[in-house]
Amino acid sequence: MIFALKTQRFRKIAVFLILLAGVAGIIIVNQVSSADQDILGADRSGFKIAMPSVAGSTATSSWFCPGVPGQDENVKSEIIVANPTQTPITGTITWLSSDNPALSTTLIVDPLSRRVFDATSGRKSKFFSATVELDSGQASVEQRIIHPAGNSLALCANEASDRWFFADGFTGAESLFDVLLTNPFQDPTVVDLSFVTVDGKREPASLKGIVLPAQSVTGISMGEQGARNEAVLAVSIRATSGRFIAGKLQHFLGRGRLGFTSALGSPATSRQWWFASGEKAAGVDEQLVVFNPTDTDQSVSIAFLTGSAELLLREPLVLTIPAGRVTTLSTTNLPAITNGRYGILVSSITSDFVTKNDDVSGEFVVVEQVVSRTSEKKTGTSVVLGAPAGSASRVWTLPTGVATGEVGSIVVANATSLDTKLRISTIGPAGAVPIDGLEQVSLGSAAVISIAIPQSAAELQILVESEIEVVVQREVSRGNKLFGLSGVLALPYRSSMFTENKSGTKSGDK
Amino acid sequence: MSNAKLDGLVLEVTSAPPVVTAMVVHEPGPWFDDVLASLASQDYPTLRHVFFLTTPVVDSQPDTSAAQLLSNKIQAVLPDAIMRIVEGNPGFGPLINEMQRIVEGDSGLFCVMHDDVALQPSTVRLLVEELFVSNASIVGPKLVQWDNPTLLKSVGFGIDRCGEIDPLIEPNERDQEQHDSVRDIFFVSSACMLVRADLFRELNGFCREIPFFGEDLEFCWRAHLSGARVVVAPSAVARHRELFSSRSANIVSSSLIARHRARTVTTLTSRFRFPLVWLQMLVTSVIETVVGVFSGTFRESLAGLRATVAIIIDTTYIWRRRQEVRPFRRVLASDIGKLQVKGSARLTRFIRHRRAIESSAIASSTEVKKFWRQTSTRSSGIAMTVIFALILIGSREIITNGSRIVGEFLPFDSGSITSGLLFELFRSGWWSSGFGQATANPTGIGLLALGGYLVFGNLALLQTLMIVGSIFFGFFGMWRLCGAFANSRARLVGASIYVALPLGYDAIARGRFSALLTIAALPWVFDILRRAGGLHAEGRIDPTTNLLISNSEKSIGVGISRRTQLIAGLVLILGLVSAFAPAILVVTLIGLLLWFVASVFGGTPMRSIGAMSFVGLAGVVGSLLINLPWSMNFISRQWWQLLTSDQSVSERGIGLSALASLDFGNLRGGFFVLGAYFCVVCSLLVANSWRLVWALRSAFLVIGALLLAVLDDRGLLPFQMPEPSILLALVAVGLGLACATCVSIFSETALSKSSDWRRSIGLLVPVAILLTFLPTFLNVADGRWQQPDSTVSQLLAQLPDNPEDGNYRTLFVGDNGLLPVSTNALTSFVSYGVSDDGPVNIVSHWAPQYTAMNLLADQALMALISNDTVRVGRLMSPLAIRYIVVPLSSAPSASALDLVDALSNQLDLRRLYFARDLVIFENVAWIPIIGVLDEQSAVASQKVGGSALIVQELQSVNPLFVDDHNVASKSSRSSFNGGTVHVSALFNEHWQLTIDGAQIAPRVAFGATTAFDAPVAGSAELHYRTSVLRYLLLLIQAFVWLALLIIAANVSRFRVRFRDVSSQSIKLLSENADQVLKSDRQDK
């Protein structure tokens, strides 16, 4: 009897303890895992770099080129498709134009080779733009314009965006500045265009509600839209419906700038912008054009990568760019910078204590670098959009090489505080082969290095591999025996990011 | 036992006819001495006595010890009495009928008596005198109350045409000789009835099928039919105790009384009057049932209604009985009608009763207990009516206009769907929803087809019934489950709380059909477990005091047949619900485990726990078996996902407060539900004895299920649980039980216990319960439980139906909870499902297994999500996907926005509709479900892999078989010019394409779909050839369902109704059981 009572009491105590533990468990699980969930949620929020890149291991890739002029017989435009793999790559190339219907054809690129297509498909139209779809994630595509005023290489975008920005648009001395808006989709896209001059932001009614017909290219000459003879001209284009690709054609005709350049716009602002090829030298006029398209003032710090990390951090230059305005910084006049090569890092410090990835947090600035080299009354101007945050990579590719008739070079900036080794390879019939003497190139922390590519390798696809994240920029000759260099970023690989994105899925379950 | 020596017995020679009293003695009390004394004091000269002594049966063996003692006692008073000890108690009527065998001769008289009737010394004599004076065949005395002979008990009875009895006197009417005239009446009570022996023999005694209650009415009615006269002789007086129910509670049954009355009326009413009389009975009983809700006579009224309806089941018996009675029909039906009370005897009785109530003297004698019982029943009835009214008012828009197409509430009758079409789908060996698969169709489709036939093809009505009816079904399930408390208030509160919780209404608001069915069914599941464990209230009631026994939980044994019936019932319930919501099986298993643990800790006998576990497991397994061959679908690597409808959602992020309040933000005031948790705590603190076990069960269900829900919500389980709405049904059951436990404690202990701290806590219980009701009250006004005004499906009306360019599919992708079709999980945050063109309907509720076509879709969508392609349209073209629909919530998730972002980047998609809550893209690269491919596409179809499709855009020359039917039901013919016919359906050799009768062999296209290379032109016909085995399996399935239905409905109980009572042999245990008493009169 006593035993039964004890057992009963024990049972009661046990059951109440179990129930209490259950209640405690509910509360604790709810509390503890909430934090975990936030972390997971942060990881899930997604991140895209605001520049083209090579996907790497994906099955397919798509490229949207910024556009070329199509009526000037003196101008030749090319689409270069590079296949660094051991297998043939097939795909389609679709030409969009401002006057003709879209035209598609199938393409095949042999292994370890490159193929060049006429960017105008042999037709006449004011502007052309090409879309290339490939059944490989390792292929890369670039656009090249062979222009009497200077050849220009431009990156092609991987995807469309609902907004594009151009920090530098120069119409001084009647320079030409055409914005090319490509709509590769089946639906019309409607965009609003605004621009900023030294007088402030302007939003002409004629530039509101611009309809980009489906599968077409629309060119807008900024000079004809009321932005004539502007030394400062930043452009912002936002879609009210749909997406598009924006590129620019710039023909500099004076006021310190000469030459031709084409480039893809920036599909987003970024908290950081990297420039590998800064230079202070006689006859070199370098400007950083910082465009703040947001509604709030932005402060940016500008640091120069001169090989000393301490120096980099010690005395950064701070600029404040008012909302919707452009600020131009001429580095040539900065006494703190000694002659020579350096890299440049422009960072927004408006919300300095943001721990999450910056581009997700909001909008910041767009920065372009304008370099005009002058010698014996010859001037060559190059405009380079910086590498945005997150674009630093261990692998970069140069599908078109560095040669447009003359020898070019690559400039590599170390974006970290660690020393690294670089390996420069070419991709030819034998696969990826390191260039003699460039198998192990040392690069110090926060430093830049300019590497001349031998003539024999300049025509081939070039691969730059590093032990740590770097930023790679090309400097190629402008062709036609013109003075100066044309700068353009190389293409980073994003395969590591691709892996991270896939980790959140359950594809393996299938 | 001492029996009189009967051989050669000759009754005393006298002019008085011999009278033999016949009495069935059943467990008599002390008052039986008075009965015997009254018999011994009779002044009638030729009076003999026959006693039938019943015996209790223990372990199938009669216990005669008490009967022996009783026999001795009788013999001591009445030495000449004849006694027959009977095995058990086969019934009053059948035993009295034994008089025909025991007593020989027709010239005597039988005085049939109850064992609680005490005669005055002259009663028998006066009855005999009156019999002769009035030339009657049956005479009854005036019956007065046992304890107070000044109050009348009976002076005979009248009846109306429906057999309703009119007692002719007021309740407790004082005897002032106002009824002391001899008069014809319809029948006299068998408590004391003098009847001519010859008539008794001619009519073959009492009706064999009426062992108790109503045998006197039936006998007298037959006597009237034969021309006999029935009179009451008020000068003859007998006291009647009439407390049989206290001696044999299990025999007294309102349903038995009602059944006998209905049978009597239907067998003895003339065939011309019968239809009208039955209709009158039906109408009357329906009205009485409704009135009974408020008058406290609901149970009796319901028994009357059931008895009236059950006449249909009794057809065989009634037909046979009428044949037996036919020879005695010597009097016109109209003459019998004159003997009956005009109008309604019940109404007459009611008016008389009200008049009597006005008399304070009579009113004061009304039994207090009965008053309280009626008050309790009345308040329960009113409360129930209010609750039902609220549910109906709250569902009024759904009832009148149908449910909105939200979530899983897909329309039953959308498009061309009919019951016949559903049945055709069910028969087919091609499961057409999703991308389709060559496998058995869900049982649910067959059940819907059957349901559609039952509602005369009105499938919309069926849907409304299933939605709104689920709430009521859940209520009644909980009512039955709370029957364990044997307290109407506890039952009412438990059931009311269950339906008041927002879970069910939230399921309606969000269109969670699976959850709603689970909520409706789960209380029934637990009720069956309770019954299987023998946890009946009756098992805790003291038969002597009729009060609950306050000790730990006891269970009564459940026989094999009863257990089989319960298993069949559980299998049917789970089978039925799992045909629509397989997740109920998982929830049942979890509930079973929690129930098991709580019962172990509560001290429930292991035998009972074992029985419950066995029945529960058998129910789960059985439900899977009766859903064969469809349930073979669960035999898969993804069986758990299929069973739980798992969408691989890693963290739901709903939050504890929403989970605990059983409200996911769709209803107002859901947080008030947290009050119900007070009852869980309170019941644990206050309950003791058997109520503590119920408190534990409720607590384990609440805490256990809530813990699982929170773990699942936070993604901390290695596997996915069913969606919270389904899982939390366990919490709802637990909360209902907890509230019922509290009410049981405080309502039943209030009268016996003095106030203590428990009573103080009890004061808060009503507050907690009222708070729990609040959300329901707040949401009644909406009329459709906050279902959204506009739904995805409404917006899909803009998509073309059967367009000329071919049938197509629509892909729904995004957050699983927003998709209107069954889905496959793509990532932790993105799911997708497809439907054929035209409005979505209930067929899309079920998704087939993961097939090669899903693999194609997965690859395309993964490429989309990863931003690896801008040609997702091309990748999806072999799947015939023309539209891609992304529903968005008011606060879209990041993954949903990313999805729209990725879709916006696709080159072959056209934005068709772009709104905050819905985005629709059109795939310009689509090809029809059935179409002829151009040459290049035909070549491409032989390749496997999406990369080939990036380069090659598929082109269809022309579509084929454009109609409403699914791909496996193409009955039409199409003219065909030759080429490769592509069928966007999973490859299977049973696909048959014939061109002018020539059969074309199918081949695999794009690694998944089906193509026919048909170089010839002609008339094309496509169909899927269903295996004969499929039909055979369906037949077996139908048979199994029917068999279970028969077992669960316990049809054997109807067999009892048909069984001839005479076949129940009356076993006499007397030594001289076959000896007879000669009662022929010998004249002087």
Side-chain angles (χ1 to χ4, degrees), chain A residues 45-243:
Chain A
S45 57
F47 168 64
K48 294 176 190 171
I49 59 171
M51 76 169 289
S53 55
V54 179
S57 56
T58 58
T60 62
S61 60
S62 307
W63 301 86
F64 303 92
C65 295
V68 298
Q71 285 181 324
D72 190 344
E73 290 183 353
N74 296 320
V75 177
K76 188 182 173 190
S77 305
E78 296 170 342
I79 300 296
I80 299 130
V81 182
N83 178 5
T85 70
Q86 302 280 353
T87 55
I89 288 175
T90 57
T92 56
I93 179 166
T94 305
W95 289 276
L96 309 175
S97 73
S98 49
D99 306 314
N100 300 313
L103 176 70
S104 287
T105 189
T106 304
L107 64 85
I108 299 174
V109 184
D110 293 332
L112 304 168
S113 69
R114 202 166 51 196
R115 200 166 160 196
V116 178
F117 298 88
D118 184 352
T120 64
S121 69
R123 296 181 296 173
K124 291 289 180 188
S125 180
K126 193 170 184 183
F127 298 105
F128 280 97
S129 177
T131 299
V132 181
E133 298 157 60
L134 302 167
D135 64 353
S136 170
Q138 297 193 48
S140 51
V141 178
E142 288 184 322
Q143 168 190 292
R144 182 165 61 191
I145 300 173
I146 300 169
H147 195 278
N151 300 340
S152 174
L153 201 58
L155 303 180
C156 298
N158 296 118
E159 63 181 21
S161 173
D162 60 355
R163 68 196 67 183
W164 292 87
F165 305 102
F166 297 101
D168 179 67
F170 181 85
T171 55
E174 302 298 328
S175 296
L176 302 176
F177 177 32
D178 292 330
V179 175
L180 302 187
L181 305 176
T182 303
N183 176 13
F185 298 101
Q186 305 288 336
D187 300 301
T189 297
V190 182
V191 301
D192 293 340
L193 189 147
S194 63
F195 58 89
V196 178
T197 66
V198 287
D199 299 324
K201 187 176 180 181
R202 290 165 64 180
E203 296 175 291
S206 60
L207 296 178
K208 278 194 173 293
I210 302 167
V211 177
L212 311 181
Q215 296 197 304
S216 71
V217 182
T218 302
I220 297 171
S221 172
M222 293 307 297
E224 294 172 6
Q225 298 298 332
R228 296 185 67 176
N229 206 24
E230 295 286 358
V232 173
L233 179 61
V235 178
S236 170
I237 313 137
R238 294 174 189 264
T240 54
S241 159
R243 287 148 192 264

Side-chain angles (χ1 to χ4, degrees), chain A residues 304-350:
Chain A
F304 296 93
L305 281 67
T306 57
S308 168
E310 286 182 19
L311 196 64
L312 173 71
L313 300 170
R314 196 188 308 159
E315 292 181 357
L317 183 67
V318 175
L319 292 179
T320 297
I321 303 97
R325 302 300 287 268
V326 177
T327 298
T328 302
L329 172 71
S330 176
T331 56
T332 311
N333 303 325
L334 292 176
I337 303 173
T338 57
N339 284 355
R341 289 274 184 178
Y342 51 83
I344 305 169
L345 169 62
V346 181
S347 304
S348 173
I349 55 171
T350 302

Side-chain angles (χ1 to χ4, degrees), chain B residues 579-658:
Chain B
F580 297 88
I584 193 176
L585 300 181
V586 178
V587 172
T588 301
L589 286 175
I590 295 168
L592 191 63
L593 181 68
L594 295 170
W595 189 269
F596 175 87
V597 174
S599 299
V600 167
F601 280 113
T604 304
M606 287 310 292
R607 178 176 54 83
S608 178
I609 293 173
M612 288 190 286
S613 304
F614 171 73
V615 170
L617 290 174
V620 171
V621 174
S623 65
L624 282 170
L625 292 177
I626 66 168
N627 274 303
L628 284 173
W630 168 64
S631 52
M632 290 288 284
N633 191 44
F634 297 122
I635 302 174
S636 156
R637 201 158 50 90
Q638 297 173 308
W639 64 276
W640 180 256
Q641 285 94 327
L642 291 168
L643 209 56
T644 57
S645 304
D646 168 24
Q647 291 300 318
S648 302
V649 180
S650 55
E651 315 96 25
R652 301 180 195 275
I654 295 169
L656 176 59
S657 61

Side-chain angles (χ1 to χ4, degrees), chain B residues 371-389:
Chain B
F371 171 77
W372 278 109
R373 181 176 63 82
Q374 288 187 343
T375 306
S376 170
T377 311
R378 187 183 299 122
S379 58
S380 298
I382 291 169
M384 207 182 289
T385 306
V386 169
I387 290 165
F388 288 179

